């Protein structure tokens, strides 16, 4: 194992995963004139991932176009693309499908500008051996690829089954375990009619996407969304936020942080009070003791999520219309049991604030609890193999892979490896705010600079 310090010289990087994080890593390596790259993706398309391959035009970005450039050194890059395509202005909330087009075109343009330095490989990477002098990627078909370093850009891992569903052995027609996987992704409303009811487990951003997809696919029945607290994402303001900035980084102490945000909200409004924390959030998280991080997650995370990750006004208006029509309601409670009966699901649940248990009969349930990252529960062969070999370890919060501040993975013995790195949501345990484009683009840029400054010319050796 290489000691932490100066990175090794790198000539060839294998990037596993070609969604936003992986594709942007490849783009930045080429833009930095860094090592050659093999970008590996088992899905059918590159530079889109789950988020930006949606077929539904109703799925909009949760950030205005002005802050969605993929390139941190060119903040207006996406705005210019959007204007050229006739799709919107800086304050617009573009469709995620259009953003996928933007990323795809950026990847292709970068490849053309650096011929022969990026290979796109459609394959399933199921093994990864990490050594002091390099890595070897093993594929499902038995082939192997040698590289000097590897970057894990796996995006969000699939959701876990909620309590009550994990042991119910329900048929796919009654229960959709992952709304973004398999044929269900484009047919959530298949077999449903206007007399049916659908249970959505979760009330966050995944719920919003699924509700919009059901509506777009012609479902005219009723939807009940349930979560422990029943909280739903808040909406962005109608216009540009007033500029505000903090003089220094606040402390990541639960009660003190709440008081600080409330005081700022009275001065500048709650949206600005949350947004002005953005430049400091990662530093606040990194400097906070583990106990303070855990306290934040236990008590404040649900409230942070709904205020931090907001909806486009157009999306919020659609949800409000469904609520007003009596077709969408959110409840706070806990599911006790689920049973398949006569082509329906009988769901027993308890309201959050007490009262008698209630029973709900629905035609279909859809798991919208959101992505998970517990490596000890993953079924991904690549991650299971790395974990079994002790080459990676879960982060303390079980959000994903434990990494250093430089995105180097940490093995079971606590040692960092500069030849195996991880990017994006799977590093959330270390950085917390690393799921949105503005955060990932900075992380990707920094990692690309580090790897590029360490690269070597192939044929000259290490």
């Amino acid at each position: 194992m290489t000691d932490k310090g100066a990175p090794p010289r790198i000539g060839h990087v294998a990037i596993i995963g070609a969604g936003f994080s992986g594709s942007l890593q490849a783009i930045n390596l080429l833009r930095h004139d860094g090592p050659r790259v093999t970008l590996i993706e088992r899905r059918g398309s590159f530079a889109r991932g789950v988020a930006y391959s949606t077929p539904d035009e109703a799925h909009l970005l949760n950030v205005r176009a002005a802050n969605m450039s993929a390139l941190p050194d060119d903040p207006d890059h996406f705005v210019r693309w959007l204007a050229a395509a006739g799709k919107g202005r800086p304050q617009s909330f573009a469709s995620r499908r259009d953003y996928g087009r933007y990323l795809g075109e950026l990847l292709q343009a970068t490849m053309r500008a650096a011929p022969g330095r990026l290979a796109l490989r459609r394959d399933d990477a199921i093994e990864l051996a990490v050594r002091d002098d390099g890595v070897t990627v093993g594929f499902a078909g038995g082939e192997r690829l040698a590289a000097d370093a590897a970057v894990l850009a796996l995006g969000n891992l699939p959701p876990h089954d909620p309590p009550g569903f994990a042991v119910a052995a329900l048929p796919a027609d009654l229960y959709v375990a992952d709304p973004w996987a398999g044929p269900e992704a484009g047919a959530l409303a298949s077999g449903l009619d206007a007399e049916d009811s659908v249970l959505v487990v979760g009330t966050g951003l995944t719920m919003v996407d699924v509700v919009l997809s059901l509506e777009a696919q012609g479902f005219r029945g009723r939807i009940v969304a349930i979560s422990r607290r029943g909280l739903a994402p808040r909406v962005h303001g109608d216009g540009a936020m007033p500029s505000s900035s903090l003089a220094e980084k606040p402390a990541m102490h639960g009660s003190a942080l709440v008081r600080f945000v409330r005081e700022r909200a009275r001065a500048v409004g709650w949206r600005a009070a949350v947004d002005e924390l953005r430049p400091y959030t990662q530093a606040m998280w990194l400097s906070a003791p583990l106990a303070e991080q855990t306290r934040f997650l236990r008590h404040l995370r649900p409230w942070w999520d709904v205020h931090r990750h907001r909806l486009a006004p157009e999306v919020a208006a659609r949800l409000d219309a469904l609520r007003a029509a009596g077709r969408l309601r959110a409840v706070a409670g806990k599911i006790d049991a689920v049973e398949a009966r006569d082509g329906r699901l009988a769901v027993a649940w308890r309201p959050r604030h007490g009262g008698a248990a209630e029973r709900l009969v629905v035609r279909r349930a859809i798991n919208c609890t959101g992505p998970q990252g517990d490596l000890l529960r993953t079924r991904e062969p690549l991650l299971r193999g790395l974990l079994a070999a002790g080459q990676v370890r879960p982060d303390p919060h079980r959000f994903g892979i434990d990494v250093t501040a430089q995105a180097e993975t940490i093995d079971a013995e606590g040692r960092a490896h500069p030849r195996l790195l991880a990017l994006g949501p799977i590093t959330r345990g270390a950085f917390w705010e690393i799921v949105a484009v503005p955060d990932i683009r900075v992380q990707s840029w920094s990692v690309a600079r580090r790897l590029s400054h360490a690269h070597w010319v192939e044929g000259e050796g290490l």
Side-chain angles (χ1 to χ4, degrees), residues 19 113 207-208 286 322 356 374 384 407 421 453:
M207 175 275 291
V208 173
L286 286 165
L322 290 173
D374 189 349
R384 289 174 66 90
L421 301 96
H453 291 167

Side-chain angles (χ1 to χ4, degrees), residues 205-268:
L205 292 175
T206 306
M207 175 275 291
V208 173
D209 282 348
V210 164
V211 168
L212 295 178
S213 291
L214 287 168
E215 183 77 0
Q217 293 168 24
F219 177 60
R220 297 296 177 261
R222 290 179 170 79
I223 302 170
V224 177
I226 185 171
S227 68
R228 182 180 173 186
R229 293 176 175 81
L231 298 174
R234 302 321 195 234
V235 61
H236 279 283
D238 291 332
M241 295 299 301
S243 60
S244 61
S245 59
L246 300 177
E248 60 183 19
K249 178 186 73 174
M252 189 82 177
H253 185 280
S255 57
L257 182 61
V258 170
R259 287 195 300 271
F260 178 84
V261 173
R262 285 176 174 170
E263 290 173 1
R264 292 297 298 164
R266 285 192 287 270
V268 300

Side-chain angles (χ1 to χ4, degrees), residues 348-437:
W349 68 282
R350 294 181 180 274
R352 175 172 174 79
H353 297 295
E358 299 189 24
R359 183 172 178 270
L360 182 66
V361 177
V362 298
R363 173 65 179 80
R364 182 169 297 157
I366 304 174
N367 181 11
C368 294
T369 53
Q372 301 297 324
D374 189 349
L375 299 190
L376 301 182
R377 298 176 63 182
T378 185
R379 293 187 292 269
E380 289 286 342
L382 179 68
L383 290 176
R384 289 174 66 90
L386 286 169
L387 189 64
Q391 294 183 322
V392 300
R393 70 180 185 185
D395 67 75
H397 304 295
R398 301 285 176 82
F399 286 151
I401 296 174
D402 202 10
V403 298
T404 68
Q406 291 75 40
E408 297 172 343
T409 58
I410 301 173
D411 72 7
E413 302 298 324
R415 299 171 298 185
H417 207 306
R419 291 189 185 266
L420 179 60
L421 301 96
L423 293 177
I426 205 166
T427 66
R428 194 173 190 183
F431 302 104
W432 178 239
E433 284 289 301
I434 197 65
V435 298
V437 165

Side-chain angles (χ1 to χ4, degrees), residues 111-446:
M111 288 181 65
R112 289 192 297 270
R117 292 181 49 216
L118 172 59
L120 305 182
R121 179 162 184 162
R122 287 182 173 86
D123 214 332
D124 190 4
I126 62 171
E127 296 178 0
L128 182 59
V130 186
R131 307 177 308 277
D132 285 346
D133 62 347
V135 302
T136 301
V137 183
F139 297 97
E143 295 184 26
R144 309 186 86 74
L145 174 72
D148 297 306
V151 176
L152 301 175
L154 305 177
N156 288 306
L157 298 182
H160 301 318
D161 289 319
F165 288 87
V167 297
L170 301 171
D173 185 52
L174 296 183
Y175 172 55
V176 180
D178 182 356
W180 310 126
E184 306 96 327
L188 294 174
S190 176
L192 302 178
D193 60 40
E195 302 303 314
D196 289 327
S197 294
V198 170
L199 175 66
V200 172
V201 185
T203 57
L205 292 175
T206 306
M207 175 275 291
V208 173
D209 282 348
V210 164
V211 168
L212 295 178
S213 291
L214 287 168
E215 183 77 0
Q217 293 168 24
F219 177 60
R220 297 296 177 261
R222 290 179 170 79
I223 302 170
V224 177
I226 185 171
S227 68
R228 182 180 173 186
R229 293 176 175 81
L231 298 174
R234 302 321 195 234
V235 61
H236 279 283
D238 291 332
M241 295 299 301
S243 60
S244 61
S245 59
L246 300 177
E248 60 183 19
K249 178 186 73 174
M252 189 82 177
H253 185 280
S255 57
L257 182 61
V258 170
R259 287 195 300 271
F260 178 84
V261 173
R262 285 176 174 170
E263 290 173 1
R264 292 297 298 164
R266 285 192 287 270
V268 300
W270 71 262
R271 293 178 178 86
V274 172
D275 290 346
E276 66 186 9
L277 291 175
R278 288 292 307 282
Y280 305 100
T281 307
Q282 284 191 5
M284 290 165 62
W285 184 263
L286 286 165
S287 63
L290 179 61
E292 198 59 51
Q293 293 177 353
T294 302
R295 190 175 296 114
F296 172 87
L297 295 173
R298 182 182 301 118
H299 299 294
L300 297 180
R301 177 185 178 182
W303 301 97
W304 172 262
D305 283 347
V306 298
H307 288 85
R308 162 68 182 85
H309 302 288
R310 303 194 285 270
L311 302 177
E314 304 97 299
V315 170
R318 292 188 180 205
L319 297 181
D320 287 342
L322 290 173
R323 293 188 188 99
R327 293 184 48 216
L328 171 64
R329 72 183 179 106
V331 298
K334 176 184 177 183
I335 294 174
D336 285 336
V338 181
E339 181 184 0
R341 186 182 303 166
D342 300 324
R344 295 287 190 274
L345 288 178
V347 180
W349 68 282
R350 294 181 180 274
R352 175 172 174 79
H353 297 295
E358 299 189 24
R359 183 172 178 270
L360 182 66
V361 177
V362 298
R363 173 65 179 80
R364 182 169 297 157
I366 304 174
N367 181 11
C368 294
T369 53
Q372 301 297 324
D374 189 349
L375 299 190
L376 301 182
R377 298 176 63 182
T378 185
R379 293 187 292 269
E380 289 286 342
L382 179 68
L383 290 176
R384 289 174 66 90
L386 286 169
L387 189 64
Q391 294 183 322
V392 300
R393 70 180 185 185
D395 67 75
H397 304 295
R398 301 285 176 82
F399 286 151
I401 296 174
D402 202 10
V403 298
T404 68
Q406 291 75 40
E408 297 172 343
T409 58
I410 301 173
D411 72 7
E413 302 298 324
R415 299 171 298 185
H417 207 306
R419 291 189 185 266
L420 179 60
L421 301 96
L423 293 177
I426 205 166
T427 66
R428 194 173 190 183
F431 302 104
W432 178 239
E433 284 289 301
I434 197 65
V435 298
V437 165
D439 304 304
I440 297 174
R441 70 185 173 205
V442 174
Q443 184 190 43
S444 173
W445 180 266
S446 299

Side-chain angles (χ1 to χ4, degrees), residues 46 320 425 455:
F46 289 79
D320 287 342
H455 85 280

